[in-house]
Amino acid sequence: MFLDVNNHHYVGCRCCLHNSITYASEQSNSNDSLSDRLIPLPSHVESNKGTLQVSSRSNILGEESADKDALRVLKEFLKENDIAVNKLFNKSSATIALGENNHLSPRVGKLQKLLELPELSSLKSEGYMLAIRSETNDISHGGIIFIEGKDKDGTFYAVKTLVQLAKKDNGSLVFKNSLITDEPSMSVRGIIEGFYGDPWSHHDRLDQIHFYGDYKMNTYIYAPKDDPYHREKWREPYPENEMERMKELIYTAKKNKVDFTFAISPGIDIRFNGQGGEDDF
């Protein structure tokens, strides 16, 4: 279930996500062994023979120009799986190359041409390409994982897809050779916390925002009706301790490519006429 708000801006509730994704998966002709692990299902999933294995060490190309949040997520993922990143390039290690369309580092751009990967010019904003190739080439004998985002958000989402694709086997990460291209079908994807009753806790909200980043949602609208500064006391500024929590939410949202939108609900006593109306507006 999705709600249409403000002419083609869409939001969906977290509880409805599973049903929506299941429907999308059932309508796809993509390779089941990959698509069953991917949420949301990418626009195009092409599975090829063979697998790429990333063991104790790996190379990363494109650090100087790729999206910093994508790099952070990638390095955290490798570290969690006991895979170190080589300080000096080692041709025998698997190589992960990443960057944004038209802003690739020279080495990543050279690798893109060598692999003869498709152009991203027609992809929408936040789209990406993820290519996994286990075969040896002139740059890396350990195989290549190539990530190219249409923009910084696209690179971030490609890394999230890579994390979903990984299988653990005897201490190594194993990825099926594949080519994935993806772009959003909806430009605004996310959640409104707008219900009555006890609002989410600060921890709940942080957890939600991480969840949105993991599953490529880009919008969180803060509007809990029982927050007094959202509704009854909407004219008053938040106390300093509440502002610190709000700053943490905004910071976490930025790291997860989520637009944080603060809403007020002044309908119970907003004034429209005279000096009071001027003051309220």
Side-chain angles (χ1 to χ4, degrees):
M1 174 181 178
F2 290 95
L3 306 177
D4 186 353
V5 293
N6 206 18
N7 296 325
H8 308 297
H9 285 184
Y10 293 82
V11 295
C13 61
R14 178 172 177 176
C15 62
C16 301
L17 182 63
H18 174 74
N19 289 337
S20 302
I21 292 166
T22 301
Y23 176 82
S25 179
E26 288 170 354
Q27 299 303 309
S28 171
N29 292 320
S30 300
N31 180 272
D32 289 338
S33 63
L34 289 181
S35 61
D36 287 350
R37 300 202 301 275
L38 298 176
I39 301 175
L41 188 65
S43 308
H44 174 81
V45 180
E46 177 185 317
S47 177
N48 300 305
K49 292 182 179 179
T51 58
L52 184 150
Q53 182 171 300
V54 183
S55 299
S56 59
R57 306 197 69 83
S58 66
N59 304 307
I60 294 180
L61 294 181
E63 289 191 67
E64 66 272 31
S65 56
D67 177 65
K68 300 307 178 189
D69 293 316
L71 274 168
R72 171 182 51 79
V73 172
L74 175 61
K75 289 182 175 181
E76 288 173 355
F77 171 64
L78 294 174
K79 185 177 180 179
E80 287 168 3
N81 288 279
D82 301 316
I83 297 171
V85 177
N86 295 324
K87 292 183 179 180
L88 297 176
F89 189 88
N90 186 332
K91 206 168 186 177
S92 65
S93 299
T95 296
I96 304 171
L98 71 167
E100 286 75 57
N101 184 238
N102 296 323
H103 298 284
L104 300 175
S105 71
R107 294 181 77 182
V108 175
K110 180 181 177 181
L111 184 57
Q112 179 198 44
K113 292 178 181 177
L114 178 68
L115 297 176
E116 298 180 338
L117 294 168
E119 283 288 324
L120 302 189
S121 55
S122 62
L123 276 186
K124 299 175 186 176
S125 297
E126 301 179 290
Y128 65 86
M129 173 184 61
L130 168 61
I132 300 174
R133 305 268 184 91
S134 60
E135 62 266 24
T136 296
N137 57 60
D138 291 342
I139 293 178
S140 176
H141 293 172
I144 296 285
I145 296 173
F146 190 94
I147 290 170
E148 183 178 355
K150 180 71 174 183
D151 47 31
K152 291 180 180 295
D153 289 5
T155 305
F156 181 84
Y157 293 146
V159 172
K160 290 294 186 178
T161 296
L162 180 69
V163 171
Q164 290 184 5
L165 284 174
K167 284 187 172 183
K168 197 76 177 283
D169 184 24
N170 292 324
S172 298
L173 294 177
V174 179
F175 301 90
K176 186 145 180 47
N177 285 341
S178 54
L179 176 64
I180 296 173
T181 53
D182 193 17
E183 61 184 2
S185 58
M186 297 178 287
S187 60
V188 179
R189 311 171 302 279
I191 305 292
I192 301 174
E193 183 190 351
F195 52 83
Y196 292 85
D198 292 338
W200 286 333
S201 70
H202 184 63
H203 179 271
D204 289 338
R205 292 186 182 115
L206 291 172
D207 181 63
Q208 285 279 314
I209 291 170
H210 284 292
F211 176 86
Y212 308 154
D214 287 343
Y215 294 101
K216 306 179 179 71
M217 290 184 274
N218 63 5
T219 303
Y220 167 66
I221 300 176
Y222 179 94
K225 295 300 174 285
D226 281 13
D227 176 347
Y229 296 95
H230 165 73
R231 198 158 181 257
E232 288 89 354
K233 299 180 180 180
W234 64 272
R235 294 182 182 88
E236 300 179 25
Y238 273 85
E240 188 172 340
N241 64 323
E242 290 294 332
M243 282 303 298
E244 289 302 313
R245 283 194 282 270
M246 201 67 73
K247 288 176 183 178
E248 186 178 8
L249 291 176
I250 294 168
Y251 174 72
T252 303
K254 285 181 178 178
K255 290 201 306 179
N256 284 276
K257 309 303 184 189
V258 175
D259 293 331
F260 181 98
T261 302
F262 179 83
I264 58 172
S265 181
I268 56 176
D269 64 354
I270 189 171
R271 297 166 294 187
F272 294 97
N273 299 316
Q275 186 58 46
E278 291 293 324
D279 292 343
D280 281 353
F281 279 97

